[in-house]
Amino acid sequence: MAHATTDTALAGSYGAAAAAAAKTPGYWGGVWRKLRRDPVTVVCMAVVLLIVLAAIFAPFVAPNDPYATSMTRRLKPIGTDGHLLGTDELGRDMLSRLIYGGRISLFTGLTPVFLATLIGGGLGLLAGYFGGLVNTAVMRTMDVFYAFPSVLLAVAISGALGAGLLNVLIALTVVFIPPICRIAESVTTQIRTEDYVDAARATGASTPRIIGTHILPNVLGPVFIYASSLISVSIVVASGLAFLGLGVSPPQADWGLMLNTLRQAIYIAPVNAVVPGVMIFITSMCFNMMSDGLRSAMDVKD
Amino acid sequence: MHDTSQAATLPIADDTRDRGGPMQPLLIVEDLKKHFPIGGGFLRKAPSVVRAVDGVSFHVDKGRTLGIVGESGCGKSTTARLLTHLIPPDAGSIVFDGDPVGPYGGITVADLRKQMQMVFQDSYSSLNPRLPIVDSIAFGPKAHGTPTRKARADAEELLGLVGLNPRQFARRYPHQLSGGQRQRVNIARALAMKPRLVVLDEAVSALDKSVEAQVLNLLARLKEQFSLTYIFISHDLNVVQYISDRVLVMYLGEVVEIGDVDDLYSAPSHPYTQALLSSRPSMDPARRRIAPPLTGDPPNPVNPPSGCRFRTRCPLAEPICAARAPELAALPDRPGQSVACHARGVGTGHSLSPAA
C-alpha cells in the first residue's frame, strides 16, 4: 500500500475503489466466512445437519419400525445383531426411535426459541429504544413472568391449556420470552446512548432505518448467543412436560420421553437408559459450540 | 482565520440554499433552556432539576466560526445537542438563516438537521463498530433517498477529501483506524449531508497534539471549500483562539461573555474569562504562575447561587452580585463584546461599575 494521500493522486482511484468495494461482502458475509474457518463450528454444524437430515428422512434412514415391540428382545445391549444401539424396555429398536425422536425433540427445541427470539427480542428492542413509559410497560410485564420459576410456569401454562404438542410450544415460548426480552432491552439501552446513534438521528433518518442499520446488528449478537443456549433447555423442559403427560404422549418417540421411560431400567441396562440423554447432550453441546463460534465470528475485532 | 472584515462572508452568496443574504446570521439562538429532572421516576415527580443550559442566546454569522469555551459541566455539550434537537430544548427559539425552527411556521427539525451536522468528541463511540466506515458515511444520504451506489461513491470521494485513501480505508471497520483517522471519518460523515453549519463538540480534544493540528488544518480547508459555518466547542483555549472568529464563554449553563476572538483574548472583561485565560500554562518559565487563578469547583447546577452564578468564586463579588443576576450587555467602549457582570455594566450599583 503506497501512502499516496494527496487529493490529486486519489482522484483517479475512486472508480477502482468503488469496484473493489462492490465485490467485498457485507457484514453478514464476513460473519459467514469466519464461521466457515472455525473447525469446531464446522464440525458442530455438520453434526446438527446430520441429526436434522436423519430426522427429516427418518422413514428412509431408520433400520427398523420404531413402534414394533418385542417381548423377547427387551433391553438388548448396544451392538446386538440387528439393533445397533440395542432395544428399549418394550423391545423397540433404540436407533430407530432416536432417529424418529429427533423430529419432535428438534421441533420442540427450536420452535419456542425461534418464536421467543422474535417476540421477546422485538419487545426488548422497542422497550430499550423508546425508553420511558414503553420501557416501563414492557419490562414490568416481563417481571410478572419472572416471578415464577420457569419450569413451574411452563407446567402451569401447558396444564391450563391442556395436553398436546402445540400447547407445549406455546408454554415454552411464553417461558423464554422474558429472559430474551431482558437481554435485548439491556443491550439496546446501552447502544441507544452511543454517539453513533445520535449521529444517525442527527442526519434526520427515520426511526426504523436507524434501528435497522445501527441498533439491530449490534443487538442481534448477544440475543442470538443467548437464544442458542436456550435450545438445549427447551429440549429438556419439553421432555419434562412429556413426562408429566402434558406434551408428547407414549408411544411416540421423543428423546426426553425415552429418557423418562428408560429411567426404570437404569439398574438393569444403564447404558441403554443413558443413550437418549447422550443424544440430548450432543445436540445441545453442538448448539452451544455453534453459539460460541457465532459470538467470535460476530466480533468484528477478531 | 481571524479576518473579521465583511468580505469573508461573501462567498456564501453563491450558495443556492442561502435565504437570508450575507448579513442574515446563519443561526440565532434565543434564551435556550434545558433543565434535566433528577431523582424522578414512574409516576413520581422529580424533586429537583439540573439547570444544564439556562437561557443561552447567541448568533453565528455565515462563514464564521463561533468558539464556545468553558469548564467541564458548564453546558457546552448540552447546548450542542440542543441545537441539533438531539435533546429537545425546554424553552427558547432557534432561527436558522431567517427561518424559525419549530412546528409553527418556518422550518421543521428535520429540515434543520439536513443543514446542521455534528461531530462528537469520542471518535470511537460515534462510529458504528459493525459498519465499514464507507457505509457509516453513506448512511445519512441513503436515508434521504440517494441510491446506495451513488451514496457509496460520494462517501469514498469524501474520504479522499478528509485525507484517507478510499481504496485503503473504505471497507475498514472503526477499530482498524487510529483516533485521528476516525475523527476524519466523522467529519466526512457530517459533510456527507452537505450541511451549512457543523457543530464540532470537542472534536479534536481527544487527539494528540500533532494529529490535532492536522485535523484543525483539515477543518479550516473544508470550511473554505464548502463555505461552512462552524460552532466549535472546546475546553482548549488555544485551539479555540486558533480556529474561532468569535468566542462565547459559558459558566454553569449561562453565557458570561461573548466577543470577537482577538478582543476577548487580548482584553477579557468578565472575571471568569480573565481567570480562564490566565489559567493557560505560560511558555516562559520566568512568568510561571504559582497561585491558581480560580479555586474550588463550580457550584452545583441543581442549586445555583442566587444572582450572579460566578459570585462564589469571583474576586470582585459584592452584595449586589448575590441580589441580582447580571444581564448580558455590550461593553460601553467595545460594542462587539458583551459581558454579564455587574462590575462591567453601567449603573449596576457595583463599586467598579463604569460611569455612564
Side-chain angles (χ1 to χ4, degrees):
Chain A
M1 283 285 175
H3 289 280
T5 43
T6 60
D7 293 359
T8 44
L10 290 174
S13 66
Y14 297 145
K23 268 182 263 157
T24 335
Y27 169 66
W28 293 108
V31 169
W32 176 236
R33 215 174 49 240
K34 274 193 253 176
L35 274 180
R36 274 186 331 200
R37 282 202 204 121
D38 177 21
V40 177
T41 310
V42 170
V43 169
C44 288
M45 282 196 288
V47 171
V48 167
L49 194 71
L50 197 72
I51 295 173
V52 169
L53 286 178
I56 292 172
F57 298 106
F60 307 103
V61 181
N64 290 305
D65 181 352
Y67 302 111
T69 56
S70 163
M71 292 312 280
T72 54
R73 300 180 69 87
R74 284 163 39 181
L75 294 172
K76 289 286 176 199
I78 287 178
T80 307
D81 193 31
H83 300 288
L84 198 58
L85 289 180
T87 57
D88 70 0
E89 77 284 2
L90 296 175
R92 296 172 295 196
D93 181 45
M94 285 286 283
L95 180 59
S96 303
R97 283 184 70 74
L98 284 178
I99 290 171
Y100 271 91
R103 293 179 150 188
I104 290 168
S105 289
L106 286 174
F107 188 63
T108 50
L110 292 171
T111 315
V113 174
F114 176 74
L115 292 177
T117 305
L118 225 56
I119 300 168
L123 282 173
L125 198 72
L126 295 181
Y129 188 80
F130 291 106
L133 265 177
V134 180
N135 187 298
T136 306
V138 173
M139 296 320 288
R140 293 302 81 78
T141 312
M142 292 303 150
D143 285 350
V144 173
F145 288 99
Y146 255 116
F148 304 97
S150 57
V151 176
L152 203 62
L153 185 63
V155 170
I157 295 170
S158 47
L161 294 174
L165 192 58
L166 179 69
N167 291 340
V168 168
L169 296 183
I170 293 173
L172 287 175
T173 305
V174 171
V175 166
F176 291 146
I177 285 174
I180 291 179
C181 180
R182 190 174 271 191
I183 300 251
E185 188 261 353
S186 75
V187 178
T188 309
T189 305
Q190 182 201 332
I191 287 166
R192 174 77 184 70
T193 57
E194 297 277 351
D195 284 341
Y196 59 81
V197 178
D198 271 347
R201 287 172 61 218
T203 64
S206 66
T207 303
R209 192 180 270 272
I210 293 172
I211 290 179
T213 308
H214 293 291
I215 308 273
L216 199 60
N218 289 297
V219 175
L220 276 185
V223 170
F224 273 180
I225 289 153
Y226 181 71
S228 59
S229 74
L230 285 179
I231 291 172
S232 45
V233 178
S234 187
I235 293 175
V236 173
V237 175
S239 66
L241 291 176
F243 176 67
L244 294 172
L246 290 169
V248 189
S249 43
Q252 258 192 306
D254 170 81
W255 297 342
L257 200 60
M258 290 167 72
L259 195 63
N260 283 325
T261 50
L262 279 166
R263 174 182 55 98
Q264 295 145 326
I266 195 143
Y267 296 113
I268 308 153
V271 179
N272 291 28
V274 159
V275 166
V278 170
M279 276 313 289
I280 296 177
F281 173 75
I282 290 174
T283 312
S284 26
M285 273 302 282
C286 284
F287 277 114
N288 282 347
M289 306 271 237
M290 275 160 66
S291 79
D292 265 358
L294 188 65
R295 183 177 53 210
S296 58
M298 286 178 85
D299 188 352
V300 284
K301 284 179 196 170
D302 282 353
Chain B
M1 186 97 348
H2 304 301
D3 184 6
T4 51
S5 71
Q6 277 304 319
T9 62
L10 284 182
I12 303 297
D14 302 336
D15 195 332
T16 50
R17 294 169 300 175
D18 194 12
R19 287 166 54 81
M23 295 307 287
Q24 168 72 40
L26 187 59
L27 185 75
I28 304 173
V29 175
E30 217 40 87
D31 205 24
L32 203 61
K33 276 185 189 160
K34 183 69 197 182
H35 296 176
F36 292 108
I38 50 169
F42 182 52
L43 296 181
R44 262 182 312 231
K45 201 173 165 359
S48 51
V49 293
V50 179
R51 295 161 177 272
V53 173
D54 209 11
V56 166
S57 306
F58 60 88
H59 68 266
V60 193
D61 288 329
K62 285 175 186 165
R64 301 298 191 84
T65 300
L66 174 74
I68 300 184
V69 292
E71 280 167 293
S72 303
C74 71
K76 303 185 297 272
S77 290
T78 308
T79 305
R81 279 163 199 259
L82 290 176
L83 293 179
T84 44
H85 281 251
L86 286 175
I87 305 172
D90 291 335
S93 67
I94 296 174
V95 177
F96 191 87
D97 202 8
D99 292 315
V101 178
Y104 315 110
I107 59 172
T108 61
V109 172
D111 292 333
L112 175 75
R113 282 177 174 172
K114 278 183 209 156
Q115 310 201 54
M116 189 196 286
Q117 283 294 298
M118 233 180 125
V119 178
F120 300 88
Q121 171 173 13
D122 186 340
S123 66
Y124 189 67
S125 148
S126 47
L127 288 170
N128 185 341
R130 293 188 196 281
L131 220 51
I133 55 171
V134 67
D135 291 329
S136 274
I137 299 170
F139 174 79
K142 266 161 72 181
H144 286 98
T146 310
T148 307
R149 187 174 277 271
K150 167 101 170 68
R152 279 237 178 110
D154 289 351
E156 280 170 4
E157 193 169 339
L158 277 166
L159 273 178
L161 282 173
V162 297
L164 297 173
N165 184 342
R167 270 189 134 154
Q168 201 179 338
F169 287 98
R171 302 303 306 174
R172 288 207 189 172
Y173 288 95
H175 69 92
Q176 295 167 319
L177 304 180
S178 72
Q181 290 168 338
R182 280 198 297 263
Q183 207 55 304
R184 287 168 189 267
V185 174
N186 284 321
I187 292 167
R189 190 235 328 257
L191 293 182
M193 294 300 292
K194 300 192 170 59
R196 297 172 68 194
L197 177 68
V198 180
V199 180
L200 300 144
D201 183 9
E202 303 270 16
V204 296
S205 306
L207 307 177
D208 62 63
K209 279 295 160 191
S210 61
V211 178
E212 182 179 51
Q214 291 170 13
V215 174
L216 285 174
N217 287 334
L218 171 70
L219 286 171
R221 177 163 63 78
L222 294 171
K223 181 169 176 258
E224 289 299 310
Q225 198 168 348
F226 293 102
S227 310
L228 297 171
T229 302
Y230 286 156
I231 293 180
F232 189 92
I233 296 172
S234 180
H235 60 263
D236 187 328
L237 297 160
N238 292 317
V239 168
V240 168
Q241 181 177 21
Y242 172 74
I243 200 159
S244 306
D245 298 306
R246 274 175 81 77
V247 174
L248 183 155
V249 184
M250 280 186 80
Y251 183 77
L252 223 59
E254 289 181 337
V255 180
V256 295
E257 184 162 4
I258 181 167
D260 288 340
V261 62
D262 295 334
D263 296 345
L264 193 128
Y265 273 70
S266 60
S269 181
H270 196 285
Y272 178 64
T273 316
Q274 289 172 349
L276 210 56
L277 290 175
S278 61
S279 71
R280 292 194 287 178
S282 168
M283 285 296 163
D284 181 0
R287 298 173 60 192
R288 185 178 312 213
R289 175 175 283 281
I290 306 296
L294 269 186
T295 51
D297 291 325
N300 190 346
V302 175
N303 225 334
S306 66
C308 174
R309 292 188 178 180
F310 185 58
R311 68 177 167 82
T312 50
R313 300 163 84 191
C314 181
L316 311 177
E318 290 186 6
I320 176 71
C321 300
R324 222 154 32 82
E327 298 274 321
L328 193 66
L331 286 173
D333 51 337
R334 267 172 293 165
Q337 195 167 347
S338 298
V339 179
C341 180
H342 289 310
R344 309 293 181 226
V346 177
T348 54
H350 195 282
S351 62
L352 293 172
S353 173

